[in-house]
Each structure stands twice: as C-alpha cells, then as structure tokens.
Amino acid sequence: MAKDKVRRPRAETPKGFRDYFGAEVTARTEMLQAIGRVYRAWGFDALETSAVETVEALGKFLPDVDRPNEGVFAWQEHEDTDWLALRYDLTAPLARVFAQYRNDLPTPYRRYAMGPVWRNEKPGPGRFRQFYQCDADTVGAPSVAADAEICAMLASALEAVGIDRGDYLIRVNNRKVLNGVMEAAGVLDPADPSRFEAERGIVLRAIDKLDRLGEAGVRALLGQGREDESGDFTKGAGLAEEQAELVIGFTQARRDTAEATLARLRELVGTSATGAEGVDELETIAGLLAAQGLGDRALIDPSVVRGLGYYTGPVFEAELTFQTLDEKGRPRQFGSVAGGGRYDDLVKRFTGQAVPATGISIGVDRLLAALQARRAQAAAPAGPVVVTVMDRERMADYFAMAEELRAAGIRAEVYLGNPKNFGNQMKYADRRGSPVAVIEGGDEKARGVVQIKDLVLGAEIAKNASLEEWKDRPSQVEAPRDQLVAQVRAMLEGS
Amino acid sequence: MAKDKVRRPRAETPKGFRDYFGAEVTARTEMLQAIGRVYRAWGFDALETSAVETVEALGKFLPDVDRPNEGVFAWQEHEDTDWLALRYDLTAPLARVFAQYRNDLPTPYRRYAMGPVWRNEKPGPGRFRQFYQCDADTVGAPSVAADAEICAMLASALEAVGIDRGDYLIRVNNRKVLNGVMEAAGVLDPADPSRFEAERGIVLRAIDKLDRLGEAGVRALLGQGREDESGDFTKGAGLAEEQAELVIGFTQARRDTAEATLARLRELVGTSATGAEGVDELETIAGLLAAQGLGDRALIDPSVVRGLGYYTGPVFEAELTFQTLDEKGRPRQFGSVAGGGRYDDLVKRFTGQAVPATGISIGVDRLLAALQARRAQAAAPAGPVVVTVMDRERMADYFAMAEELRAAGIRAEVYLGNPKNFGNQMKYADRRGSPVAVIEGGDEKARGVVQIKDLVLGAEIAKNASLEEWKDRPSQVEAPRDQLVAQVRAMLEGS
C-alpha cells in the first residue's frame, strides 16, 4: 500500500443516527433524573438490561426469513450461535427479565428503566434510529389499583420536570369497554374470539387516528374504506351503518362528569359481560384518582385507544394542553407525551403462565422539546468563564484562578490553544458562550490586579453602541487579584 | 402449528451480557453524575454519540475479511450498505466527531462522555461484553498544560465520588522518555523509526506487566523470552544484557523527589533529543501539578507506560492505595482505576492533518467496586415503606398514606399483590428490604389509629430474642392516624 494513496475513512454519523452536544445531553439527563427520583419515591426499582438481546427473547421478529431483521438491527456471529439484536423497546426486555428471575424478584415487581432503544426503520425528519425511552411498569399485580397508581405517578413525574398543573391531562380508557362495544356491534363473538379479528384491528387503528382524520375519516375506515389526498386507498372494516354508529358513539361517549361518562358507556356495551367489567374497572380507577386529588387532571376519555395490539385492559395517555410558538411563530401543540396500559400476556410467551402487567412509557424527546419550548424565553445556558493566557510561562497562575472560581461554584477553564493571538482567545470565548473572560498580563501581575471582561454586556454594546460608547468599554472592570471571585460573581449575577 | 407445541423462547440474557438491578444501577448513576459535575465545572462539555458507528469510521477493524467483526459486534444490512458496528470505546467516536464538526466546534474542544461500550470478546469472570466507560478529552491543545489539567481534574473527580486524599495517587510518565531510552539502548533509530518496531512493542508490553511478572519476568521478556507456569513460552525482544539494563533502569528511575527523578531520567536518555523533550515535558507537568497543590498526590513514575500503542507523549494512571477485605476476609488492592495520555494521530485518519489530543478514561466498574467495598460496613440501602392492604375496598385510604409519606420525602408504596394472606404481604416487605410496614385494619380505622411495624428491629428480635421478649413486640407501635409521618420518620431515624 502506497502511503499517500490510502483512502481516508469518511467522518460521518451513520444514516439515521445523530450526535448530541452539551446542553442537549445535560437537559435530557436532568429530566430523566427528575423522573427517576419520582419513580423511586413510589417504590419502583431501577433495572438496566443490556442493549443486546437474543432475537428469540425479543420476540415479534422471529427468524422466519433468512435475515430476521425487519424493524430491528440484528446479526448472527456464526451459523451455530444465536441471532442477536438491539432492543427495540424496554418492555420486551422486562418480560424476559421477569420470566428469568421471577423466583428472586418481589411480586408485584415495580421497576423503571431508561435508556436508548434502536429501530431499523426508514429515518425521517425528527425520527432517528436510536432514541430514548423512559418506562415504569408493575408486573404481577392483577388489580386496577396498579393502573391507577401508574396514572397518579405519571402526573407526579410530569410536575417534577416542570409541567404545571393545568398544563396536562391524563386520559384513561379501557380496551374491555371497546371490546364490549364490538360485541354489541356484532364484530366480536365471545364464543369464537378469532372471528372478525382483522375487522377489529382496522377499527382499533381507525379510532387511534381520530385526531388526524376527524369523524368523517374514521367513519369511512369503519365502512368500505378511505381514499386519502394522494389517492391512496385504505380498505375499511366493512361495518354496516348501525355498527359504525355504535363505535362512533363510543369515541364520543365522554360527558362532563365521570359518572355521566360511565353511565353512557354502560348503555353502549349493552349486555356484554366483558364490557361491563371494563366499565367497572374504569369506575374503580376514576374513584382512586379522585380520592388522590387528581380529579381535575385525570379523566375517562373513550376516544383514547392506543395503537398497540397487546393491551388487554386499561389504557392511558398524558397530553400536554398548552400551546407554544415554533421558530417561525406558528402555534404548536405538543399533544401526547406518554402512554401505556395493561398487557397481561407478554411474560406468558416465556413461561406459559399469564402474568398481569401494566406500565407507562414517556416519550423522552417529545417531552424534552415541550419543556425547551416553554423555557425558550429564558437565557441560554452559559458557557464557562475563560481565563485567558497572556504569558505562557505563567500557566500555573492561570490554573490557580480557574480553580478558585470552581471552588466558588463557578464553571471555569483556562484557554489551552495557542495563546499568541489574543483575538483568537476572544473568538474561542465567544464560541464557548462564555459570560466572562479574565485577563492578567505582566502589567496587571505587577500591579496585583486582573481585568474582568463582561462578554454578554460587551456583545450587546458591540451590537448597539456608538463608537464613543464603545471606547468607554464599561464592560471591562479592573479588580484587585484577591477580588477575582467576588467580581466575577457580581458580573454573572448582573448579566 | 398446533397451539400447544409451539416452542417457548428461552428467558436468558445473551452470553457475556448481564442485567443490573436497583442499587447497582443507582449507585453507578450517582457516581457518574458526580464525575460529570466535576468535568462540567472544568469547562468540559457533554457529548453523546450513538452506539452505532460505521465500521469504517471506527477504524482498527477494517473490512479486510469477509466479516470484519474481530473484537466488535458488526453487521451489514445489504450488500450495498455500510458495515455498521457497536462502538468499542468512546475515543474512536470522539475522533470521528471532531473530524466531522471541526469547523463548528471550539478549539481546543474539551468534551466528556459516559456510556456503555461493547466488545465481542470471550467473556470471563467479571468481564462482560457490555460495560461503561467515562472519558474526558481535550482535542486541539498541543501544550502539556492540557495534560496537567486532565491529571488535576482526575484528582478532583476521584475526590468528588468519595476517594479521600491520601487514598489515591496519580502517576505520570512520558512515552518520549521511553523512546529516548530506547534510542540510548539502540532499539530505536530516529532516522528509520520502522526498524526494531516489533522489539519495541515487546518492550512496551513487558514493562506494562511489571506489576504482575516482577523484575525477573520483565528481564526474561526483554531478553530471549519467558516460559510461564503452564509451560507456554512468550518470545522476548532479544535485547542484549546492557540494553535490557537501560530499560530496567528506566522503570526503576523513580526517586524521592520529582527533581531527583527528572535528573535520573536525563542520565538515562543520554543524547536523545526526543528523550530530552520528554523529560522537559514531565518537568513542566510536575511544576504545574505542584503549583496546584497536587505535589502529594501526583508523581512522576517511569514504571507507568500504559499498554495501548497509540500514545505519543505523557501517559497517566490513577491508582487507589487503600486496601479492603473481600467477602472472604482476604486483603484486596484495587490498583489502577483510570488511565490515559496524549494521542496525537487519531483525528489524522480522517483529515490527513495531525490534531493533538489528550484524555483520560475512568474504569467505571472498578471504581464503583472500590467505593462499594469501602462503604460495605455502612447500612445497605433501604427499600420503601410498605403500606399493607387490610381491606381491599379502601385502596384510596392506603394510597393516601403512601402519598403523605412521599410528600415528606420518604420512599413508600402500597402492596399491590393479592392482599388476602397477610403473611404474604410481610414476606413481600422482607424481599423489598422495607424498613417499616404500615397497617390499618377496620379496627384501627374505627379508632383513628395505625399500626407501624419496625421491620429492621423486628428481624433482629426474631433472630435474638426469647419467646417472652418476642411476645412484647416492642417493634410495633400504635399511633394516631395523623401522626403517621412523624412516627415512621422517628422509626427510620432510630434504625
């Protein structure tokens, strides 16, 4: 290989992945820490599984094709070793863990987990192949008290990260009620649950799109089907008009009070035993939430169904109700930032025995975006104080200044590039978002003083001031060396 | 497929991976948070790259074989897409990021990163295929002031997580000094650096094993080779006795003071220009560390070389100097918990231009083990207070009690299993490590009181008390309902 001809590697993030810098990382970390403290206070224990699972344990993506990688990143080392894959959520690993350690874990087992998950899907704007999830689940508790607890804890977590009361709603529904309505509509036969399974799937997905398609769109999907603006046709569930009426009635069953909503639901499920059970469960949950003072923030909303197929009972969703403006000044609604529900069959895959479970997953990136939009008016997080280098023989002096500032709780660093050109040091401080620069040349050293430059004020003056004002340089202050910390602090508090 | 014949998936962690539960997770998180706070205070910015990189960007494992997965987990989706891999450390992604964003990042760029890395290696006792790293690096600073800063910051980080002054040492050396000694010994020809490259590699690895093999073992490896206890023979560097003498002299060059050590090193490097430069750099670093008051915790130690080939200048290592006892009462030394150095060529792979860089990596698991061994005498972290369920119609009452305790900062939960058997509730509390259980049956409710059970004291009494003492049950207290929080707090503080 000729030395000069070696092709250099491209310095690129793989397609669909991204890097996170500085405040993007710390803001997320702080949010997750605040949520973790709430989960722990409620008796949930941390669990961290490895990113890698066997494809077999992950399930859903079983190796029925040559390369079982639909939706996941998967690989096989050798022909005789297991297919491995990156986890695509935090629920599948929880089911594996509970099945694996069930004799050693307390029952019920309350656990929380936070970390990245991976999806081998086509990336899109704002959609990446690696993103964070933050889940809390209770495994082994059949009572809907566990569902009510999850909803109350979710409210507590949202408030802990800075969403005020009145700015969010927890909406609760129950799949059993929906199944009761399907029974009443004749698309679910309790004696043969496999009949009409495809139709029910279409109904479920149609209701889940109510927000986006409106009542007319959902009606079309419940009937013969719907053609969208691009001309694409989606086949409908084929329900007759009276059947569709029942389903639409279900999504619109919300009334002003929980009592009235529950009464309406009882009408809709008719004689279905499953439906009645579902309404009873909703009543219990509503009662528990009201008793905990959440009556104003949690409500029964039959239009919430959640898209996932595996829910078997209560389902819930947290919605942010405030509006912010996007970069272009357009109103922006954040909508759902968390969702979950009861799923009683995931552990059964491993053990053959049904294990009741319920849980919530917080959409980390969406919640973070909402928080940041709210705080957009607040000052951007400041960079460190930069101690400039005027005399490269006196690095120890500059290090000592930075250490004094840090000991006083002020983020600080010494300039470590080539100090020759002072302009470069100022450009560096600018790029770092530094609020203050400290300068001590030979003259200052001899006189026992330091120059302290207010870079925030300086930038404002540079933008707005006349040449005269600029010359006065009121943004720079000379202070005795032993007043360094006090003077920097005063400047930081002033800015 | 007959329903009953479907083979169930195995509930197993993949080979070489493990799950982390409860305090294992939170102790690590807290340690990393404390280190992150120090890094940020020193002006380092967080960076989080994705777990997945192109194999090409990771380097070292270039696809020269059919499946380029030696040491890494790698896969290729389609024949015409990039090979992807899980990162094996945090330095390779940093080099990629700096090359990719160098026009937007400040120079020097100080960054820290913490997160899991993956190695496709044979797992062993305590060695897993996924583990945490915690790095801080300065890219674009040629001055050894950057190396001194990293060493001082490392000391600060160790103290922040609870390692006291006097319990650790930062050892510093310089690869240029070693190269100077090699020149003096005639195994490095500045005019043709590729000569004797293999021999120098053997010398490097031999010195790195000084701790384990002792002087005699290293001498054997410097000469003809060494046969270990199992009879395996490792080929030596083939140095003559005078040559080996110089190298051994280098590893033993440490004297009582930095001045004396530096003087001894100057003798050993003779007329080598590289060697003299290395000694000068060490002198500067030692001066800066002494000026920062680290003279007692940082020292020049020529026996530190670090195994990795890519270091080009200063190298450093943090060693814990205290001893603890392992589970069997045997003394246990923790040794090195962090290491790093200057590597000036990693970014060059991408850009063709050398970019100076220096950094440190903390061995997260080893440091955590050391901290836990130190704190082993302290009480185990307590589980939540458990509010038991005596009457399943009054879940709202029990939820209210748990919420009162949480509002007072006490971790608490309601029992959510089947409440029928009270013994099971107590077994659950035991498994959770609960310090206190709260009981409110119909009788207590009617009288406006609650029973509060001290489970820590109860366990002690059960172990040691006579039947008489046991009957007195002093570990259970009755309190008015409105004294619940005060009484639980008193019990927690007493235990």
Side-chain angles (χ1 to χ4, degrees):
Chain A
M1 288 195 298
K3 262 185 184 170
D4 295 336
K5 292 290 183 184
V6 175
R7 181 166 124 13
R8 287 192 205 123
R10 284 161 302 159
E12 279 172 21
T13 326
K15 198 168 162 250
F17 292 88
R18 58 163 294 197
D19 303 303
Y20 295 83
F21 293 89
E24 293 179 316
V25 179
T26 47
R28 183 174 57 207
T29 305
E30 279 162 24
M31 189 182 86
L32 291 177
Q33 280 168 19
I35 296 172
R37 278 191 296 271
V38 171
Y39 287 169
R40 273 182 51 73
W42 287 66
F44 286 66
D45 274 353
L47 170 66
E48 188 170 326
T49 59
S50 61
V52 178
E53 296 274 350
T54 62
V55 165
E56 176 187 3
L58 278 184
K60 197 171 158 185
F61 303 97
L62 289 171
D64 52 359
V65 288
D66 206 34
R67 189 171 173 78
N69 58 2
E70 283 307 306
V72 299
F73 292 102
W75 64 90
Q76 187 183 34
E77 284 310 311
H78 304 287
E79 270 180 33
D80 53 353
T81 57
D82 289 330
W83 273 90
L84 300 178
L86 293 176
R87 64 182 179 207
Y88 57 85
D89 74 1
L90 299 173
T91 313
L94 170 62
R96 192 264 301 156
V97 162
F98 190 81
Q100 184 172 352
Y101 303 97
R102 61 191 182 282
N103 295 326
D104 302 314
L105 291 172
T107 303
Y109 175 50
R110 288 179 174 93
R111 87 88 178 80
Y112 69 89
M114 27 187 74
V117 301
W118 293 264
R119 301 271 169 93
N120 192 0
E121 290 168 352
K122 218 180 140 177
R127 266 185 53 200
F128 296 96
R129 288 173 156 171
Q130 173 177 329
F131 55 93
Y132 269 74
Q133 288 194 338
C134 173
D135 288 18
D137 295 80
T138 303
V139 182
S143 148
V144 291
D147 302 276
E149 179 181 80
I150 292 272
C151 290
M153 182 169 74
L154 176 59
S156 200
L158 290 175
E159 292 179 22
V161 302
I163 307 288
D164 295 331
R165 261 173 222 199
D167 280 347
Y168 69 91
L169 276 178
I170 313 280
R171 304 175 185 281
V172 186
N173 194 10
N174 195 320
R175 280 286 175 84
K176 290 181 186 167
V177 180
L178 176 58
N179 285 339
V181 173
M182 304 254 215
E183 248 184 84
V187 277
L188 173 61
D189 176 358
D192 182 4
S194 63
R195 273 184 79 193
F196 308 119
E197 216 169 353
E199 285 81 359
R200 290 198 304 276
I202 297 174
V203 170
L204 191 64
R205 287 188 293 277
I207 302 178
D208 202 36
K209 287 179 193 146
L210 187 60
D211 263 10
R212 202 151 50 77
L213 304 184
E215 188 188 322
V218 174
R219 270 186 197 276
L221 285 172
L222 294 177
Q224 291 312 308
R226 176 176 177 274
E227 191 179 294
D228 68 16
E229 284 144 29
S230 74
D232 282 350
F233 185 79
T234 309
K235 194 173 166 290
L239 267 55
E241 203 154 313
E242 320 84 68
Q243 293 178 305
E245 207 54 56
L246 259 174
V247 172
I248 291 288
F250 168 71
T251 66
Q252 299 172 341
R254 189 177 143 195
R255 297 290 179 267
D256 285 343
T257 64
E259 291 70 31
T261 306
L262 290 164
R264 173 69 182 132
L265 290 175
R266 278 196 210 284
E267 284 171 27
L268 287 165
V269 298
T271 59
S272 157
T274 305
E277 195 181 309
V279 181
D280 286 346
E281 288 182 2
L282 276 181
E283 188 167 14
T284 304
I285 293 174
L288 284 169
L289 292 173
Q292 284 174 90
L294 275 100
D296 56 337
R297 290 161 273 154
L299 78 165
I300 298 173
D301 185 344
S303 71
V304 169
V305 295
R306 309 287 306 156
L308 277 174
Y310 63 58
Y311 292 119
T312 53
V315 288
F316 18 89
E317 208 167 89
E319 190 200 344
L320 300 188
T321 53
F322 62 85
Q323 246 185 17
T324 57
L325 302 179
D326 69 8
E327 316 84 62
K328 292 180 179 158
R330 293 169 302 202
R332 180 177 177 192
Q333 200 111 35
F334 285 98
S336 170
V337 291
R342 179 165 285 274
Y343 52 98
D344 285 348
D345 293 329
L346 282 192
V347 178
K348 195 178 179 183
R349 288 183 58 233
F350 295 101
T351 62
Q353 291 177 310
V355 175
T358 182
I360 193 84
S361 184
I362 291 181
V364 174
D365 293 320
R366 210 189 277 201
L367 182 56
L368 196 56
L371 288 171
Q372 281 167 342
R374 280 234 109 168
R375 289 183 203 141
Q377 287 88 337
V385 170
V386 168
V387 177
T388 60
V389 173
M390 306 303 286
D391 176 358
R392 69 171 81 200
E393 297 304 309
R394 290 197 297 107
M395 290 303 286
D397 289 353
Y398 303 126
F399 275 168
M401 290 184 198
E403 185 56 30
E404 274 173 45
L405 290 165
R406 284 192 292 263
I410 299 166
R411 200 177 173 212
E413 58 171 53
V414 175
Y415 180 73
L416 281 182
N418 186 337
K420 217 169 177 179
N421 180 333
F422 187 69
N424 281 346
Q425 300 200 43
M426 284 297 101
K427 267 185 222 153
Y428 172 82
D430 184 49
R431 191 162 268 195
R432 295 288 282 125
S434 303
V436 167
V438 178
I439 305 162
E440 191 205 51
D443 171 56
E444 281 86 9
K445 173 77 178 171
R447 292 190 294 121
V449 299
V450 287
Q451 303 289 339
I452 304 175
K453 227 176 153 68
D454 187 329
L455 301 175
V456 180
L457 189 59
E460 272 169 36
I461 293 172
K463 227 190 281 170
N464 306 316
S466 68
L467 184 65
E468 203 112 303
E469 290 168 317
W470 172 246
K471 273 185 174 164
D472 288 344
R473 298 199 310 176
S475 65
Q476 186 166 328
V477 169
E478 182 175 298
R481 170 67 181 80
D482 61 6
Q483 293 296 305
L484 168 69
V485 170
Q487 189 59 48
V488 168
R489 199 199 300 274
M491 225 169 242
L492 290 175
E493 283 165 2
S495 68
Chain B
M1 288 195 298
K3 261 184 185 172
D4 294 336
K5 291 291 182 183
V6 175
R7 181 167 135 347
R8 288 193 204 122
R10 285 161 300 159
E12 280 173 19
T13 326
K15 199 169 162 249
F17 292 87
R18 58 162 292 197
D19 303 303
Y20 295 84
F21 293 88
E24 293 178 318
V25 179
T26 47
R28 183 174 57 206
T29 305
E30 279 162 24
M31 188 181 87
L32 291 176
Q33 281 168 16
I35 295 171
R37 279 191 295 272
V38 171
Y39 287 169
R40 274 183 50 75
W42 287 66
F44 286 66
D45 274 353
L47 170 67
E48 187 169 326
T49 58
S50 61
V52 178
E53 297 274 348
T54 64
V55 164
E56 175 187 4
L58 278 183
K60 194 173 160 184
F61 303 96
L62 289 170
D64 53 358
V65 288
D66 205 35
R67 187 170 175 80
N69 59 1
E70 282 306 307
V72 298
F73 291 102
W75 64 91
Q76 188 182 32
E77 284 309 311
H78 304 286
E79 268 179 34
D80 53 352
T81 57
D82 290 329
W83 273 89
L84 300 177
L86 293 176
R87 65 184 177 206
Y88 57 85
D89 74 2
L90 300 173
T91 312
L94 170 63
R96 191 263 303 155
V97 162
F98 190 81
Q100 185 173 351
Y101 303 97
R102 62 190 181 282
N103 296 326
D104 302 313
L105 290 171
T107 304
Y109 176 50
R110 288 178 175 93
R111 87 87 180 78
Y112 70 88
M114 28 188 73
V117 301
W118 293 265
R119 301 271 170 92
N120 191 359
E121 289 167 353
K122 219 180 139 178
R127 265 184 55 199
F128 296 96
R129 287 172 157 173
Q130 173 177 331
F131 55 93
Y132 268 75
Q133 287 195 337
C134 174
D135 288 18
D137 295 81
T138 302
V139 182
S143 146
V144 292
D147 302 276
E149 179 181 79
I150 292 272
C151 290
M153 183 170 73
L154 176 58
S156 200
L158 291 175
E159 291 179 21
V161 301
I163 306 288
D164 295 330
R165 261 174 220 196
D167 280 348
Y168 69 90
L169 275 178
I170 313 280
R171 304 175 186 280
V172 186
N173 195 10
N174 195 320
R175 279 286 175 86
K176 290 180 186 168
V177 180
L178 176 58
N179 285 339
V181 172
M182 303 258 215
E183 249 184 84
V187 277
L188 173 62
D189 176 359
D192 182 3
S194 64
R195 273 184 79 194
F196 307 121
E197 215 169 352
E199 286 80 0
R200 290 200 303 277
I202 297 174
V203 170
L204 193 64
R205 288 188 292 278
I207 301 178
D208 202 37
K209 288 179 194 145
L210 187 60
D211 263 11
R212 201 153 49 80
L213 304 183
E215 187 187 322
V218 174
R219 269 186 197 276
L221 286 172
L222 294 177
Q224 290 313 307
R226 177 177 175 274
E227 192 179 296
D228 69 15
E229 284 145 26
S230 73
D232 283 350
F233 186 78
T234 310
K235 195 173 166 288
L239 268 55
E241 202 153 313
E242 319 85 67
Q243 293 177 304
E245 206 54 54
L246 259 173
V247 173
I248 292 288
F250 168 72
T251 65
Q252 299 172 340
R254 187 175 145 198
R255 298 290 179 266
D256 285 343
T257 66
E259 291 72 30
T261 305
L262 290 164
R264 173 67 183 135
L265 289 175
R266 279 196 207 287
E267 285 172 27
L268 286 167
V269 298
T271 60
S272 158
T274 305
E277 194 180 309
V279 180
D280 286 347
E281 288 181 1
L282 277 181
E283 189 167 11
T284 305
I285 293 173
L288 285 169
L289 291 174
Q292 284 175 91
L294 276 101
D296 56 336
R297 289 162 276 155
L299 78 165
I300 299 173
D301 186 344
S303 70
V304 170
V305 295
R306 309 288 306 158
L308 277 173
Y310 63 56
Y311 292 119
T312 54
V315 286
F316 19 88
E317 209 166 270
E319 189 198 346
L320 300 188
T321 53
F322 62 86
Q323 246 185 19
T324 57
L325 302 180
D326 69 9
E327 316 83 63
K328 291 182 180 155
R330 292 168 304 200
R332 179 178 177 191
Q333 200 111 35
F334 284 98
S336 171
V337 291
R342 179 165 284 273
Y343 52 97
D344 285 348
D345 294 329
L346 281 193
V347 178
K348 196 178 179 182
R349 287 182 59 234
F350 296 100
T351 63
Q353 291 177 310
V355 175
T358 182
I360 193 83
S361 185
I362 292 180
V364 174
D365 292 320
R366 211 189 275 200
L367 181 56
L368 196 57
L371 287 171
Q372 282 169 340
R374 281 233 109 168
R375 289 182 203 142
Q377 287 88 338
V385 169
V386 169
V387 177
T388 59
V389 173
M390 305 303 286
D391 175 357
R392 67 171 82 200
E393 298 303 309
R394 291 197 297 107
M395 290 305 285
D397 290 351
Y398 302 127
F399 275 168
M401 290 184 197
E403 186 55 30
E404 274 173 47
L405 290 165
R406 283 192 292 263
I410 298 166
R411 200 176 173 214
E413 59 172 52
V414 175
Y415 180 73
L416 281 182
N418 186 337
K420 216 169 176 180
N421 180 335
F422 187 70
N424 281 347
Q425 300 201 43
M426 285 296 102
K427 266 185 222 154
Y428 172 82
D430 183 49
R431 191 163 267 195
R432 296 286 286 126
S434 303
V436 168
V438 178
I439 304 161
E440 191 204 51
D443 171 56
E444 280 87 8
K445 174 77 177 171
R447 292 191 294 122
V449 299
V450 287
Q451 303 288 341
I452 304 175
K453 226 177 153 68
D454 186 330
L455 301 174
V456 179
L457 188 59
E460 271 168 38
I461 292 172
K463 226 190 281 170
N464 306 315
S466 67
L467 183 64
E468 204 112 301
E469 291 167 318
W470 173 245
K471 274 186 173 164
D472 290 343
R473 297 200 308 178
S475 64
Q476 186 168 326
V477 169
E478 182 175 297
R481 171 67 182 81
D482 61 5
Q483 293 296 304
L484 168 70
V485 170
Q487 189 59 47
V488 169
R489 198 199 300 276
M491 226 171 239
L492 289 175
E493 282 165 3
S495 70

